[in-house]
Amino acid sequence: MFLTQARRRYLRPPLPLFPVSQFSGFLRSFSSVPIKPVAYPPKPKESQDTEVNQPSPGIENQPPRRKMEPIESADSSPPETVSASPDADPLAWTRRDARFVKDVPTITPVAYPSRVAPLPEDRVETPKYAEGDAEHGDLRNEARKIRSDAGVRSYLGLMEEEIIPFPTLIKIDKRPTEVPMDLTTAIRKVKANAKRSFLETVEAHVNLGVDPRRSDQMVRGALTLPHGTGKTVRVAVFAEGVAADEAKAAGADVVGGDELIEQIKAGGGKVNFDKCIATPMFMPRLSKIGKILGPRGLMPNPKLGSVTNEVSGAVKAAKCGRIDFKMDKTAIVHAGLGKVTFTVENLHENVGAFVNALLAAKPVGLKKTSKYAGYLKNFTLCSTMGPGFSVTIQSLSTAADLYTKAHAS
């Protein structure tokens, strides 16, 4: 428990009380004692004539004191240094003693020359060379001199620093954006720039204005090119009985049923066909090889016309140049529309058919004012390993209208 100052004052024990008579008697006992004066002898003054003072009584082994020399002004000449004589007193003052004594004679300070490490250039070398080696000796001396000078300069910070230019930004020469051109002109430029050793394909890459994350805006379809794709297509048909006979008569390359499914499953994913057609009764059975056909885009689909009972017509269409297209994750559709050996008119008609199929696959939920505005953002034609050329929407609309009129009649 902590006590304050006020509490401590009241908790102290009471002081004894003395009667006034006893206190006055105590004081008279002190006043009756006589006080005797004490006198001390005067301190003798030191003699000014003697050079060394006598030691004080009672103090032994004390070094004698020298006479204090007068301090001269700064303009006067420095005092002379007292030289040690052979008859000097062994108990003379030293520098160490002078630090602790008040009255000491003036001692002249001693200055020592500063010690500097010798530099390499100050060293004198006398190399010895054999006779007839004077020329090599001069070269060695010159090399040593250069190394010594470089060492001194680097030690003293006199070495010239290498000047490095300040980094600058280099402007990248970007390829100028080409203005979209007419479809016929673009086809001619594609054919002129196809200079590879193999037969290149004319490809179309279309950037669509749809949202690929929405399922209701998925763009996919199939069409048969009027002049084909220019390559041989191997067609496989999953059918039995009469449908299998019709597929063989139409020109199918591979025809089979359950044995074909087991063969593909046991082959470890190896397929030897480019298109796949199946009858509706075989679709549940194709689930066994769905992981093999799906990633390759060979799985039959009713929306693409590859699941049908009219097997002969589907085989002829696949042989004549039927292509499937589907939008990827970046809302771009890629398709091959022929070979560079095709004529300009044939490629023009194939492009018109492809654009007409794209308009037919336009999502219903895409609200735009016209059938092209906001849907076809960019259309590019190129060869397999050639540069791309942008095509105007007006020329594409004209090609699609010409294809529609030609096949409507």
Side-chain angles (χ1 to χ4, degrees), residues 1-8 11:
M1 180 177 180
F2 297 97
L3 300 177
T4 59
Q5 187 175 4
R7 292 183 179 180
R8 291 171 182 171
L11 292 177

Side-chain angles (χ1 to χ4, degrees), residues 57-311:
I59 300 177
E60 298 179 357
N61 300 329
Q62 180 179 3
R65 296 184 180 180
R66 293 186 179 180
K67 181 180 180 181
M68 186 69 180
E69 298 180 359
I71 301 174
E72 298 181 0
S73 61
D75 299 336
S76 60
S77 59
E80 298 179 357
T81 306
V82 180
S83 58
S85 59
D87 300 335
D89 191 357
L91 299 178
W93 290 102
T94 61
R95 287 183 175 273
R96 187 171 183 180
D97 298 336
R99 294 169 57 189
F100 306 99
V101 182
K102 182 178 179 181
D103 300 331
V104 295
T106 304
I107 302 174
T108 305
V110 179
Y112 299 96
S114 58
R115 300 183 64 183
V116 181
L119 299 176
E121 57 185 3
D122 297 335
R123 298 176 182 175
V124 180
E125 297 182 0
T126 56
K128 297 181 180 180
Y129 301 100
E131 296 181 1
D133 199 15
E135 182 178 357
H136 295 284
D138 296 339
L139 293 177
R140 293 173 185 172
N141 290 338
E142 186 69 21
R144 290 174 181 174
K145 185 177 180 181
I146 292 173
R147 285 197 297 269
S148 63
D149 293 344
V152 172
R153 287 178 175 274
S154 62
Y155 179 77
L156 299 177
L158 301 177
M159 184 68 71
E160 296 180 0
E161 297 182 358
E162 183 180 358
I163 300 175
I164 302 176
F166 188 76
T168 56
L169 298 178
I170 301 176
K171 294 184 179 180
I172 302 175
D173 296 335
K174 295 184 179 180
R175 182 184 301 177
T177 305
E178 296 184 0
V179 181
M181 60 188 68
D182 185 72
L183 177 58
T184 305
T185 307
I187 292 174
R188 289 174 180 172
K189 287 194 173 184
V190 168
K191 289 171 63 66
N193 286 276
K195 301 178 181 180
R196 298 296 174 178
S197 59
F198 61 93
L199 186 59
E200 299 185 48
T201 303
V202 178
E203 300 175 357
H205 306 275
V206 189
N207 188 5
L208 302 179
V210 297
D211 189 359
R213 296 172 295 180
R214 298 180 56 178
S215 60
D216 59 337
Q217 293 189 6
M218 176 60 65
V219 177
R220 66 185 305 171
L223 76 150
T224 302
L225 297 176
H227 301 281
T229 58
K231 63 180 181 179
T232 304
V233 179
R234 291 180 58 85
V235 181
V237 178
F238 293 90
E240 290 179 348
V242 180
D245 297 338
E246 292 180 359
K248 290 179 181 179
D253 298 286
V254 181
V255 179
D258 294 335
E259 69 278 1
L260 181 59
I261 295 176
E262 296 296 333
Q263 181 182 354
I264 295 174
K265 186 177 180 181
K270 294 182 180 181
V271 294
N272 56 351
F273 49 85
D274 303 317
K275 296 289 182 179
C276 184
I277 299 173
T279 56
M281 63 175 298
F282 266 90
M283 287 304 297
R285 307 178 191 179
L286 291 180
S287 59
K288 299 179 181 179
I289 56 175
K291 294 183 179 180
I292 300 175
L293 300 180
R296 292 173 172 82
L298 299 176
M299 192 69 181
N301 193 335
K303 296 181 180 179
L304 301 178
S306 55
V307 179
T308 179
N309 288 322
E310 298 179 0
V311 181

Side-chain angles (χ1 to χ4, degrees), residues 315-333:
V315 172
K316 291 179 182 179
K319 285 286 185 177
C320 292
R322 184 179 180 86
I323 62 171
D324 303 329
F325 60 89
K326 180 181 177 181
M327 181 185 67
D328 60 5
K329 296 180 180 180
T330 58
I332 299 177
V333 175

